[in-house]
Amino acid sequence: MKNTFTLIVFISLLCCGNVLKSETPDFSKAAEGHLNSIVNRDFSSFAKTIHPDFQYCILPNGIKVAGYREFLEMNKKWFKDNDWTFDYKVVNRFHKKEFGSILLHVRYSDVNREGEPIKKQFYLSLTFVPHQGQWKLLLDQNTDIPQN
């Protein structure tokens, strides 16, 4: 009986250990997936990376977009536009168990309504938190880099 109880406890610990490991997502992989969804204009994949309690996005012009629905609606329209490019370089990446942050230097090009090219650079700071076994975007902050 004692051996059976010991075996049950041992198997339970092994199973729980695997569950805990699977609940610790790979931050770098999650951030890369989020960024790939932007570059590839894959809205469906992008939406899956957003936390349901998404707080806000601050655009380079200072406009604040608050809330999950508003953020997704804004990006859905943006993803449908086919004339922009979003190239980035990772400046910094940091994560702990409770949150992860990535800072990007973005080179963005687009065409305005008059057909004139727009080229800008900005810093993009993204903050993710674990949610149901996956990293989800909670905060999005953009800051223009002045052009010389």
Side-chain angles (χ1 to χ4, degrees):
M1 182 73 164
K2 185 177 178 182
N3 287 339
T4 303
F5 178 74
T6 303
L7 182 61
I8 291 171
V9 170
F10 178 73
I11 291 171
S12 296
L13 288 173
L14 282 176
C15 291
C16 289
N18 288 337
V19 168
L20 291 175
K21 284 181 186 175
S22 70
E23 289 180 5
T24 306
D26 181 335
F27 175 72
S28 294
K29 185 177 177 183
E32 182 180 318
H34 176 79
L35 294 167
N36 284 340
S37 72
I38 295 171
V39 171
N40 297 320
R41 293 180 182 85
D42 182 350
F43 182 77
S44 177
S45 294
F46 175 82
K48 292 175 186 173
T49 69
I50 309 305
H51 195 287
D53 293 327
F54 180 83
Q55 294 299 295
Y56 58 81
C57 169
I58 305 293
L59 299 172
N61 61 5
I63 292 175
K64 177 178 151 186
V65 178
Y68 177 81
R69 256 192 213 142
E70 293 79 2
F71 184 67
L72 286 181
E73 285 175 19
M74 175 190 73
N75 281 288
K76 190 172 193 175
K77 291 176 188 173
W78 180 50
F79 278 40
K80 287 180 181 180
D81 184 1
N82 290 319
D83 55 15
W84 56 265
T85 60
F86 180 95
D87 298 312
Y88 65 89
K89 178 180 144 191
V90 176
V91 175
N92 190 44
R93 185 179 317 206
F94 176 83
H95 76 280
K96 293 281 188 182
K97 181 179 168 185
E98 302 83 16
F99 79 97
S101 175
I102 188 164
L103 177 63
L104 308 171
H105 178 178
V106 176
R107 293 179 188 274
Y108 180 78
S109 63
D110 202 347
V111 178
N112 67 16
R113 290 180 183 155
E114 290 77 37
E116 300 166 343
I118 300 169
K119 293 193 184 293
K120 57 173 54 181
Q121 295 181 50
F122 57 91
Y123 287 114
L124 175 57
S125 177
L126 303 171
T127 302
F128 296 81
V129 294
H131 178 72
Q132 297 180 348
Q134 297 179 345
W135 288 99
K136 300 285 185 172
L137 182 67
L138 188 67
L139 303 167
D140 178 319
Q141 167 73 50
N142 300 261
T143 304
D144 268 333
I145 299 173
Q147 302 299 307
N148 296 333

